[in-house]
């Protein structure tokens, strides 16, 4: 190669190197531009994602008895949920039709609260709201308001708006109604990218499997595991336990009298389709039972692809609420009450009128805790939903909580309160007597009588309680005045709140402020007649206060709040003194002495029970008569035992039960169950969903009347031979 050729090659190599260097320089400049100048912009484009948070419902806390046995708990169930984020571009109505067809094939129902029927042959619709249902009528009113329609709008008007609003015109009428209902429910639940729609609840295993198998053709249709309230012991204080239910429109959106709209539950962290306690302890302890919901976060990139799903906040279960009620003892008292009512009907009430209902409450004297609160008839929580129509139609009212809500004239069970008032105020002492001649002659035109059962002549307060002498309490009550003995009755626990955590009736005493007040009512009130009405739980509280020498504790159902995971006690209910009647030294000793003697006047097991029982019977008249001047009677009882060192107090009522002494054997059965519970020998029938109910074939005319105020004031009817009233 000559000199010229070498120079040509060199020039070409230099040129190639220069071109290569230029290209590399351009790449370098581009990299610098991408990585340094606009790095933030391109990084954002590369990692542009959106997080969507969904609630993971926490398990509701258990309700257990005093020994830890579950009464109410949560079980796993499965809901069908629509996730709009997961649906992508899928046509919603086409998807809904496929899901509905799947539901119909498997016999499932789906969420549809639209109170409109399927169309008739002519294509017309009708409202399905019941005229006698205030809930249905409120729901119908709210539906029209939500749709911006006038209240006179017809079902056809509503459907026309829904069809047009959701573009359903091209579908068959059947599908128009079906999808309109689902769309309406979606709107109520605020269905969106961040709020799933619960389309069906508690679906079968078959439906769960079918949806999972067809997941590719059902985008956005998910099976979500959730918790459902269940009752392992559905017969234990069902009326006190209460119910859970879905949030209603009225509770979710609250409008005050000024038109101001608030969302109190949303502000507390609830979702629109959540479940909460709506009555009883389930409602009273909602904050403790609810728990803290978790959060599931779904991350989607800018292309709509879901790139991550994770549980970012773990749900925390609600706390456990432990009751003072012992479920075995409660079941024993239930059985004893039912047996006592059966005995009364077989032995005494052989006519048309039967003792069809009653209540018995047992309280721990030392702290006010309720050990049992029985209603007869009662119901089973596990059958409530399926047998509600039967329960609500039963004339004996099994859904009615007689223990806390029933109002009854106390009859002679009121006499110890008058005795306490007279002794404590100094009107009488242990030596004071009243001459019982069988007729009270103080008034010229009103002369009530006394049966003089076991007594006559001068009688002291102890014997007046023992024999339930009306004349003694007429005279003492008149001189004392109702203003005074009413004040003591209130302090002892009658006609006022006992302090229980759930709703209870207040009752009333016969006062001079009563519009029907007259002199005869004043002395009738002293023997527990007049217009006085109290509840069985008040009677038990009152008996416990007498047993405690005038110290009244707050009556309560909840023993403690426990950590669900560890069982650790978070809060324990302490005895709380609500009131005290100061004893002058002999007041309660004398009253308790009289009550301790009452069992000796009653035939049956109570008169010979080896452990001393203090009690007072009552035989108040009902307003109904079975013959001129002959009133039907309720059987009432207060008791505590052991009489000398009281542990439990009892309040009993049996509607149409006749004389109070007829419940003496019931007191003994309760005592036997209590002592067996204490020593671990109590045996009860296993729970098998036994929803107690009166035999509908019995004639229970009038049994639903739980306000037993007598009409005209009357002296108490002659008790049966061999028993106190």
């Amino acid at each position: 190669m000559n000199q010229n050729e070498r120079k040509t090659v060199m020039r070409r190599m230099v040129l190639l190197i220069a071109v290569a260097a230029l290209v590399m320089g351009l790449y370098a400049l581009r990299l610098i531009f991408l990585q340094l100048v606009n790095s933030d912009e391109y990084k954002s484009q590369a990692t542009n994602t959106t997080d969507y948070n969904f609630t993971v419902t926490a398990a509701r806390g258990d309700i257990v008895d005093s020994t830890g046995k579950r009464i109410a708990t949560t079980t796993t169930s499965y809901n069908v949920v629509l996730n709009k984020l997961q649906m992508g571009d899928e046509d919603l109505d086409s998807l809904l039709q496929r899901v509905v067809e799947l539901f119909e094939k498997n016999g499932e129902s789906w969420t549809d609260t639209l109170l409109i029927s399927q169309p008739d042959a002519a294509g017309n619709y009708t409202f399905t709201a019941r005229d006698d249902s205030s809930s249905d009528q409120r729901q119908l009113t709210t539906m029209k308001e939500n749709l911006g329609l006038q209240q006179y709008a017809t079902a056809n008007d509503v459907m026309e708006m829904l069809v047009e609003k959701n573009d359903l015109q091209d579908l068959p009428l059947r599908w128009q109604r079906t999808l309109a209902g689902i769309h309406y429910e979606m709107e109520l639940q605020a269905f969106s990218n961040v709020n799933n729609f619960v389309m069906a609840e508690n679906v079968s295993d078959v439906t769960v499997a079918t949806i999972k198998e067809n997941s590719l053709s059902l985008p956005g249709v998910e099976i979500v595991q959730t918790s459902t309230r269940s009752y392992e012991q559905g017969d234990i204080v069902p009326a006190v336990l209460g119910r859970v239910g879905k949030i209603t429109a009225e509770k979710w959106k609250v409008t005050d009298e000024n038109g101001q709209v608030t969302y109190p539950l949303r502000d507390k962290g609830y979702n629109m389709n959540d479940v909460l306690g709506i009555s009883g302890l389930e409602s009273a302890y909602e904050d403790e039972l609810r728990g803290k919901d978790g959060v599931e976060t779904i991350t989607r990139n800018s292309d709509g692809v879901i790139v991550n799903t994770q549980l970012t906040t773990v749900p925390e279960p609600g706390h456990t609420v432990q009751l003072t009620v012992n479920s075995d003892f409660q079941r024993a008292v239930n059985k004893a009450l039912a047996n006592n009512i059966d005995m009364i009907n077989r032995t005494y009430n052989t006519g048309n009128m039967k003792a069809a209902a009653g209540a018995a409450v047992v309280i721990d004297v030392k702290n006010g805790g309720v050990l049992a609160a029985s209603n007869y008839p009662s119901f089973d929580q596990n059958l409530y939903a399926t047998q509600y129509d039967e329960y609500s139609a039963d004339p004996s009212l099994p859904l009615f909580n007689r223990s806390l809500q029933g109002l009854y004239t106390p009859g002679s069970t009121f006499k110890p309160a008058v005795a306490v008032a007279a002794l404590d105020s100094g009107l009488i002492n242990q030596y004071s007597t009243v001459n019982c001649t069988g007729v009270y002659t103080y008034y010229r035109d009103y002369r009530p009588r006394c049966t003089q059962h076991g007594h006559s002549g001068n009688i002291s307060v102890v014997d007046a309680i023992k024999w339930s002498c009306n004349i003694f309490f007429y005279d003492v009550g008149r001189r004392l005045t109702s203003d005074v003995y009413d004040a003591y009755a209130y302090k002892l626990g009658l006609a006022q709140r006992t302090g229980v955590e759930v709703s209870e009736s207040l009752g009333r005493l016969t006062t001079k402020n009563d519009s029907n007040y007259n002199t005869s009512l004043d002395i009738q009130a002293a023997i527990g007649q007049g217009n006085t009405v109290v509840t069985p739980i008040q009677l038990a509280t009152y008996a416990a206060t007498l047993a405690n020498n005038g110290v009244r504790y707050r009556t309560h159902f909840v023993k403690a709040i426990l950590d669900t995971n560890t069982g650790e006690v978070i809060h324990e209910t302490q005895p709380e003194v609500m009131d005290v009647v100061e004893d002058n030294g002999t007041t309660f000793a004398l009253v308790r002495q009289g009550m301790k003697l009452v069992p000796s006047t009653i035939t049956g097991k109570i008169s010979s029970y080896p452990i001393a029982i203090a009690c007072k019977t009552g035989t108040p008249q009902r307003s109904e008569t079975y013959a001129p001047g002959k009133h039907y009677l309720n059987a009432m009882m207060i008791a505590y035992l052991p009489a000398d060192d009281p542990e439990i107090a009892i309040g009993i009522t049996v509607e149409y039960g006749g004389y109070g002494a007829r419940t003496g054997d019931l007191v003994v059965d309760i005592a036997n169950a209590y002592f067996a519970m204490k020593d671990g020998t109590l045996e009860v029938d296993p729970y098998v969903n036994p929803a107690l109910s009166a035999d509908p074939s019995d004639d229970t005319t009038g049994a639903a009347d739980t306000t037993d105020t007598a009409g005209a004031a009357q002296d108490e009817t002659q008790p049966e031979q061999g028993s106190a009233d």
Side-chain angles (χ1 to χ4, degrees):
M1 180 182 297
N2 58 32
Q3 186 69 28
N4 291 332
E5 289 176 342
R6 285 199 296 270
K7 289 182 180 179
T8 300
V9 171
M10 290 297 296
R11 285 197 297 269
R12 288 176 179 175
M13 291 180 63
V14 170
L15 180 62
L16 288 174
I17 292 171
V19 171
L22 177 63
V23 171
M24 292 180 63
L26 290 174
Y27 273 110
L29 288 173
R30 182 60 177 168
L31 287 174
I32 292 171
F33 180 79
L34 290 174
Q35 295 183 17
L36 298 179
V37 179
N38 287 333
S39 61
D40 291 340
E41 177 183 348
Y42 287 104
K43 182 180 179 181
S44 176
Q45 290 179 5
T47 61
N48 184 22
T49 60
T50 304
D51 289 340
Y52 297 87
N53 293 325
F54 297 91
T55 299
V56 179
T57 305
R60 193 170 182 82
D62 291 342
I63 299 178
V64 301
D65 79 347
S66 60
T67 67
K69 292 180 182 177
R70 288 191 183 95
I71 300 174
T73 188
T74 55
T75 55
T76 298
S77 63
Y78 296 93
N79 294 345
V80 177
V81 172
L82 265 61
N83 186 317
K84 192 171 185 179
L85 199 64
Q86 303 272 21
M87 287 172 55
D89 298 329
E90 184 74 20
D91 179 71
L92 176 59
D93 289 328
S94 176
L95 178 65
L96 292 176
Q97 285 177 283
R98 295 200 300 276
V99 176
V100 167
E101 287 172 343
L102 186 153
F103 284 164
E104 290 176 335
K105 181 180 178 181
N106 292 343
E108 302 283 3
S109 59
W110 57 91
T111 307
D112 186 346
T113 60
L114 189 67
L115 296 173
I116 295 178
S117 68
Q118 281 285 348
D120 59 19
N124 292 314
Y125 301 89
T126 57
F127 290 124
T128 57
R130 293 179 300 171
D131 293 336
D132 60 348
S133 171
S134 58
S135 175
D136 279 6
Q137 293 303 315
R138 285 196 304 270
Q139 191 173 332
L140 192 60
T141 298
T142 302
M143 177 183 70
K144 293 179 181 180
E145 289 176 351
N146 289 341
L147 296 174
L149 294 171
Q150 298 296 329
Q151 289 303 312
Y152 55 75
T154 66
N156 285 341
D157 295 333
V158 174
M159 279 303 302
E160 183 179 356
M161 169 168 280
L162 287 171
V163 168
E164 181 179 354
K165 181 178 181 180
N166 296 291
D167 195 21
L168 305 173
Q169 298 92 333
D170 296 333
L171 296 174
L173 291 179
R174 176 249 177 172
W175 281 112
Q176 287 184 15
R177 167 58 189 87
T178 300
L179 297 183
I182 297 175
H183 278 288
Y184 177 71
E185 196 66 32
M186 284 178 165
E187 187 172 344
L188 289 181
Q189 293 190 28
F191 180 48
S192 68
N193 279 346
V194 295
N195 196 26
N196 293 338
F197 169 60
V198 181
M199 189 171 178
E201 296 180 315
N202 196 23
V203 296
S204 67
D205 292 341
V206 173
T207 297
V208 170
T210 304
I211 289 177
K212 287 186 175 181
E213 289 170 2
N214 294 275
S215 59
L216 293 178
S217 63
L218 297 172
V221 181
E222 299 179 340
I223 296 296
V224 175
Q225 180 176 309
T226 187
S227 299
T228 301
R229 206 54 161 169
S230 63
Y231 303 92
E232 294 190 9
Q233 301 186 82
D235 62 332
I236 301 301
V237 291
V240 173
L241 233 59
R243 303 286 299 171
V244 297
K246 296 192 72 172
I247 296 173
T248 62
E250 292 83 1
K251 288 186 177 181
W252 182 255
K253 179 181 177 181
V254 178
T255 304
D256 64 20
E257 56 186 13
N258 298 319
Q260 184 70 30
V261 176
T262 58
Y263 297 86
L265 291 176
R266 183 188 66 184
D267 295 342
K268 291 181 68 175
Y270 287 88
N271 293 313
M272 189 178 293
N273 55 4
D274 279 351
V275 168
L276 78 168
I278 57 177
S279 64
L281 293 172
E282 292 277 19
S283 174
Y285 284 84
E286 170 65 18
D287 291 345
E288 297 289 350
L289 291 165
R290 179 189 173 204
K292 296 180 180 179
D293 291 341
V295 177
E296 181 184 50
T297 301
I298 296 178
T299 304
R300 188 172 71 172
N301 66 18
S302 58
D303 294 327
V305 178
I306 294 175
V307 297
N308 190 36
T309 299
Q310 64 177 336
L311 189 66
T312 50
T313 302
V314 178
E316 298 178 19
H319 294 144
T320 296
V321 174
Q322 184 174 33
L323 306 186
T324 55
V325 172
N326 178 293
S327 57
D328 288 340
F329 180 63
Q330 173 70 59
R331 197 168 287 122
V333 175
N334 289 349
K335 184 176 180 179
L337 176 61
N339 288 343
N340 186 249
I341 291 175
D342 179 63
M343 179 277 295
I344 289 173
N345 285 327
R346 286 186 292 101
T347 308
Y348 303 105
N349 292 359
T350 57
N352 289 331
M353 187 64 73
K354 298 292 186 180
V361 179
V362 186
I363 290 178
D364 187 326
V365 168
K366 307 296 184 182
N367 58 32
V370 179
L371 303 179
S374 295
N375 292 301
Y376 182 89
S378 186
F379 65 97
D380 187 324
Q381 287 276 38
N382 291 308
L383 303 178
Y384 180 89
T386 58
Q387 295 191 10
Y388 176 79
D389 289 342
E390 290 86 344
Y391 283 144
S392 59
D394 189 330
S396 292
L397 305 181
L399 298 179
F400 182 57
N401 188 0
R402 288 174 167 85
S403 292
L404 276 69
Q405 300 286 347
L407 292 172
Y408 303 93
T409 304
S412 292
T413 61
F414 189 78
K415 289 175 180 175
V418 177
V420 168
L423 289 164
D424 199 63
S425 66
L427 177 69
I428 63 171
N429 57 40
Q430 66 186 95
Y431 306 109
S432 302
T433 60
V434 172
N435 185 25
C436 179
T437 62
V439 180
Y440 191 55
T441 59
Y442 182 84
Y443 301 106
R444 179 178 301 176
D445 56 347
Y446 177 61
R447 297 192 170 187
R449 304 181 65 82
C450 178
T451 61
Q452 291 188 300
H453 175 66
H455 71 280
S456 63
N458 291 330
I459 187 169
S460 68
V461 65
V462 171
D463 285 336
I465 293 173
K466 173 184 176 181
W467 296 110
S468 199
C469 177
N470 284 353
I471 300 299
F472 181 92
F473 287 99
Y474 286 146
D475 192 65
V476 170
R478 175 188 61 79
R479 289 186 285 142
L480 194 62
T481 77
S482 62
D483 290 338
V484 176
Y485 64 69
D486 277 355
Y488 276 86
Y490 279 120
K491 290 174 73 67
L492 291 169
L494 296 177
Q496 70 157 297
R497 304 198 186 285
T498 65
V500 290
E501 301 89 339
V502 296
S503 175
E504 59 176 328
S505 292
L506 192 59
R508 66 172 181 270
L509 300 181
T510 304
T511 67
K512 290 186 172 67
N513 295 327
D514 195 305
S515 59
N516 296 317
Y517 175 82
N518 55 45
T519 302
S520 66
L521 278 179
D522 199 26
I523 65 169
Q524 283 295 317
I527 65 165
Q529 290 278 174
N531 294 321
T532 299
V533 284
V534 298
T535 64
I537 200 166
Q538 287 175 350
L539 288 176
T541 301
Y542 160 56
T545 307
L546 294 172
N548 280 324
N549 295 322
V551 178
R552 178 165 64 87
Y553 290 110
R554 181 175 73 83
T555 307
H556 59 280
F557 281 98
V558 174
K559 177 181 180 181
I561 305 298
L562 311 177
D563 183 283
T564 295
N565 294 320
T566 66
E568 179 185 355
V569 176
I570 298 172
H571 171 76
E572 187 170 11
T573 303
Q574 299 298 325
E576 180 181 352
V577 176
M578 303 296 288
D579 212 334
V580 176
V581 176
E582 297 294 343
D583 192 341
N584 64 13
T586 60
T587 294
F588 287 98
L590 292 170
V591 172
R592 289 177 57 174
Q593 182 183 347
M595 292 179 66
K596 186 176 177 180
L597 295 172
V598 171
S600 66
T601 71
I602 302 175
T603 56
K605 295 184 289 187
I606 195 171
S607 62
S608 58
Y609 196 65
I611 297 173
I613 295 173
C615 68
K616 184 69 195 79
T617 56
T619 308
Q621 296 176 352
R622 297 181 65 95
S623 57
E624 309 98 319
T625 60
Y626 58 90
K630 299 292 185 179
H631 289 260
Y632 287 107
L633 308 171
N634 284 344
M636 311 293 288
M637 174 75 82
I638 60 169
Y640 59 83
L641 59 107
D644 298 318
D645 186 15
E647 296 179 22
I648 62 171
I650 305 168
I652 296 170
T653 183
V654 176
E655 296 175 18
Y656 298 94
Y659 307 107
R662 295 176 181 175
T663 63
D665 285 358
L666 174 55
V667 172
V668 170
D669 290 343
I670 291 173
N672 286 336
Y674 172 73
F675 291 118
M677 176 185 68
K678 283 189 66 179
D679 64 25
T681 61
L682 178 61
E683 295 183 1
V684 295
D685 296 332
Y687 168 59
V688 288
N689 287 352
L692 294 175
S693 181
D695 185 345
S697 65
D698 287 344
D699 183 348
T700 55
T701 305
D705 177 11
T706 56
T707 303
D708 300 321
T709 304
Q714 300 283 340
D715 60 291
E716 293 203 5
T717 305
Q718 170 92 18
E720 57 190 331
Q721 186 63 31
S723 67
D725 70 331

